[in-house]
Amino acid sequence: MAKVKIEMPARLPFSTQVAVRIGDVNYGNHVGNDAMVSILHDCRLQYLASLGCTELDFFGAGLIMADLAVTYKGEAFYGDVLNVEVGAAELGSAGFDLFYRITTVRNEKTVLITEAKTGMVCFDYNSRKVARLPEAFKEKTNE
Protein backbone atom coordinates (compact mmCIF):
# COMPACT_ATOMS: atom_id res chain seq x y z
CA MET A 1 0.00 0.00 0.00
CA ALA A 2 1.37 3.39 -1.02
CA LYS A 3 1.60 5.86 1.85
CA VAL A 4 1.19 9.61 1.70
CA LYS A 5 4.52 11.37 2.17
CA ILE A 6 4.63 15.04 3.13
CA GLU A 7 7.90 16.91 2.61
CA MET A 8 7.81 19.29 5.56
CA PRO A 9 9.60 22.63 5.20
CA ALA A 10 12.40 23.34 7.65
CA ARG A 11 10.65 26.41 9.06
CA LEU A 12 7.08 26.67 10.35
CA PRO A 13 6.98 30.20 11.79
CA PHE A 14 3.53 30.25 13.42
CA SER A 15 2.69 28.28 16.55
CA THR A 16 -0.46 27.89 18.64
CA GLN A 17 -1.79 25.49 21.23
CA VAL A 18 -5.05 23.53 21.21
CA ALA A 19 -6.44 21.48 24.08
CA VAL A 20 -8.01 18.17 23.07
CA ARG A 21 -11.71 18.25 23.99
CA ILE A 22 -13.77 15.21 24.90
CA GLY A 23 -15.76 15.66 21.67
CA ASP A 24 -12.53 15.21 19.68
CA VAL A 25 -12.11 11.66 21.01
CA ASN A 26 -13.61 8.70 19.14
CA TYR A 27 -14.43 5.11 20.13
CA GLY A 28 -10.72 4.23 19.92
CA ASN A 29 -10.23 6.61 22.87
CA HIS A 30 -7.98 8.91 20.81
CA VAL A 31 -8.52 11.99 18.62
CA GLY A 32 -10.51 10.96 15.54
CA ASN A 33 -9.46 11.86 12.01
CA ASP A 34 -12.49 14.13 11.57
CA ALA A 35 -11.56 16.06 14.72
CA MET A 36 -7.95 16.36 13.55
CA VAL A 37 -9.11 17.98 10.29
CA SER A 38 -11.21 20.43 12.34
CA ILE A 39 -8.17 21.21 14.50
CA LEU A 40 -6.16 21.92 11.34
CA HIS A 41 -8.90 24.24 10.11
CA ASP A 42 -9.01 26.16 13.38
CA CYS A 43 -5.23 26.56 13.36
CA ARG A 44 -5.29 27.71 9.74
CA LEU A 45 -7.72 30.47 10.76
CA GLN A 46 -5.42 31.46 13.64
CA TYR A 47 -2.42 31.55 11.27
CA LEU A 48 -4.31 33.75 8.81
CA ALA A 49 -5.47 36.05 11.63
CA SER A 50 -1.82 36.46 12.68
CA LEU A 51 -1.20 37.83 9.17
CA GLY A 52 -4.22 40.14 9.38
CA CYS A 53 -6.54 38.26 7.04
CA THR A 54 -9.21 35.53 6.84
CA GLU A 55 -10.18 32.83 4.35
CA LEU A 56 -12.82 35.15 2.87
CA ASP A 57 -10.64 38.29 2.92
CA PHE A 58 -7.18 37.07 2.02
CA PHE A 59 -5.52 40.35 1.11
CA GLY A 60 -8.36 41.11 -1.33
CA ALA A 61 -9.01 37.55 -2.53
CA GLY A 62 -10.62 34.52 -0.93
CA LEU A 63 -9.18 31.09 -0.22
CA ILE A 64 -10.49 27.67 -1.08
CA MET A 65 -8.88 24.34 -0.20
CA ALA A 66 -7.83 22.28 -3.20
CA ASP A 67 -6.38 19.29 -1.37
CA LEU A 68 -5.58 17.89 2.04
CA ALA A 69 -3.01 15.32 3.14
CA VAL A 70 -2.70 14.11 6.72
CA THR A 71 -0.24 11.61 8.11
CA TYR A 72 -0.80 10.26 11.61
CA LYS A 73 2.41 9.62 13.51
CA GLY A 74 1.04 9.10 17.02
CA GLU A 75 -2.11 9.23 19.09
CA ALA A 76 -3.56 12.29 20.82
CA PHE A 77 -5.79 11.84 23.85
CA TYR A 78 -8.31 13.79 25.90
CA GLY A 79 -6.41 16.28 28.05
CA ASP A 80 -3.42 16.58 25.72
CA VAL A 81 -2.36 20.10 24.83
CA LEU A 82 -1.35 20.07 21.19
CA ASN A 83 1.35 22.38 19.90
CA VAL A 84 0.52 23.19 16.29
CA GLU A 85 3.14 24.77 14.02
CA VAL A 86 1.98 26.25 10.70
CA GLY A 87 3.80 27.71 7.73
CA ALA A 88 3.33 28.48 4.05
CA ALA A 89 5.58 27.21 1.27
CA GLU A 90 5.52 26.42 -2.44
CA LEU A 91 3.89 29.72 -3.42
CA GLY A 92 2.57 29.71 -6.96
CA SER A 93 0.73 32.15 -9.19
CA ALA A 94 -2.68 31.35 -7.69
CA GLY A 95 -2.02 29.41 -4.50
CA PHE A 96 0.31 27.90 -1.95
CA ASP A 97 0.66 24.99 0.44
CA LEU A 98 0.17 25.30 4.18
CA PHE A 99 2.06 22.82 6.31
CA TYR A 100 1.19 21.75 9.86
CA ARG A 101 3.13 19.83 12.49
CA ILE A 102 1.26 18.75 15.62
CA THR A 103 3.08 17.57 18.73
CA THR A 104 2.35 17.16 22.42
CA VAL A 105 4.51 16.69 25.48
CA ARG A 106 4.09 13.54 27.57
CA ASN A 107 6.41 12.41 30.34
CA GLU A 108 8.71 15.33 29.48
CA LYS A 109 9.12 14.06 25.89
CA THR A 110 7.83 15.66 22.71
CA VAL A 111 5.58 13.25 20.81
CA LEU A 112 4.87 13.81 17.11
CA ILE A 113 1.14 13.35 16.47
CA THR A 114 0.41 14.58 12.96
CA GLU A 115 1.96 16.18 9.89
CA ALA A 116 -0.37 17.68 7.32
CA LYS A 117 -0.57 19.83 4.22
CA THR A 118 -3.43 21.79 2.71
CA GLY A 119 -3.25 23.09 -0.84
CA MET A 120 -4.83 26.55 -0.79
CA VAL A 121 -6.03 28.33 -3.94
CA CYS A 122 -6.92 32.00 -4.18
CA PHE A 123 -10.53 32.30 -5.22
CA ASP A 124 -12.91 35.09 -6.18
CA TYR A 125 -16.19 34.00 -4.61
CA ASN A 126 -18.20 36.61 -6.59
CA SER A 127 -17.06 35.42 -10.02
CA ARG A 128 -16.49 31.81 -8.81
CA LYS A 129 -13.03 31.79 -10.42
CA VAL A 130 -9.44 31.27 -9.39
CA ALA A 131 -7.63 34.51 -8.52
CA ARG A 132 -3.97 35.54 -8.40
CA LEU A 133 -1.93 35.12 -5.24
CA PRO A 134 -1.81 38.57 -3.61
CA GLU A 135 1.60 40.26 -3.45
CA ALA A 136 0.86 41.27 0.15
CA PHE A 137 0.89 37.60 1.16
CA LYS A 138 4.23 37.02 -0.54
CA GLU A 139 5.66 39.98 1.35
CA LYS A 140 4.30 38.73 4.68
CA THR A 141 5.76 35.27 4.21
CA ASN A 142 9.05 36.45 2.65
CA GLU A 143 8.82 33.82 -0.05
Side-chain angles (χ1 to χ4, degrees):
M1 173 175 88
K3 301 229 180 204
V4 172
K5 292 186 190 326
I6 300 172
E7 298 283 332
M8 297 295 290
R11 188 172 159 279
L12 298 173
F14 177 79
S15 181
T16 188
Q17 291 189 322
V18 176
V20 174
R21 304 165 306 164
I22 193 65
D24 297 330
V25 176
N26 65 14
Y27 55 85
N29 203 31
H30 56 219
V31 173
N33 57 43
D34 56 332
M36 190 59 72
V37 171
S38 291
I39 290 168
L40 295 173
H41 186 200
D42 184 66
C43 294
R44 179 172 60 253
L45 295 179
Q46 291 182 48
Y47 167 74
L48 293 172
S50 78
L51 299 177
C53 60
T54 68
E55 289 180 323
L56 294 177
D57 185 8
F58 181 71
F59 303 104
L63 286 175
I64 194 166
M65 188 188 309
D67 59 54
L68 165 69
V70 182
T71 60
Y72 299 96
K73 306 291 187 173
E75 296 176 288
F77 303 102
Y78 175 70
D80 280 347
V81 175
L82 305 177
N83 184 55
V84 185
E85 299 169 272
V86 183
E90 302 181 26
L91 279 59
S93 61
F96 58 96
D97 287 335
L98 268 183
F99 292 87
Y100 313 77
R101 180 180 299 111
I102 299 178
T103 59
T104 194
V105 175
R106 274 194 219 112
N107 301 320
E108 299 179 25
K109 291 186 179 180
T110 300
V111 179
L112 179 60
I113 304 297
T114 302
E115 291 179 333
K117 178 195 83 72
T118 53
M120 306 305 294
V121 175
C122 297
F123 195 71
D124 181 331
Y125 280 92
N126 291 322
S127 67
R128 312 303 294 177
K129 294 184 183 204
V130 171
R132 294 207 48 82
L133 183 68
E135 288 297 321
F137 178 67
K138 293 177 188 176
E139 293 168 11
K140 291 255 186 185
T141 58
N142 297 317
E143 287 285 324

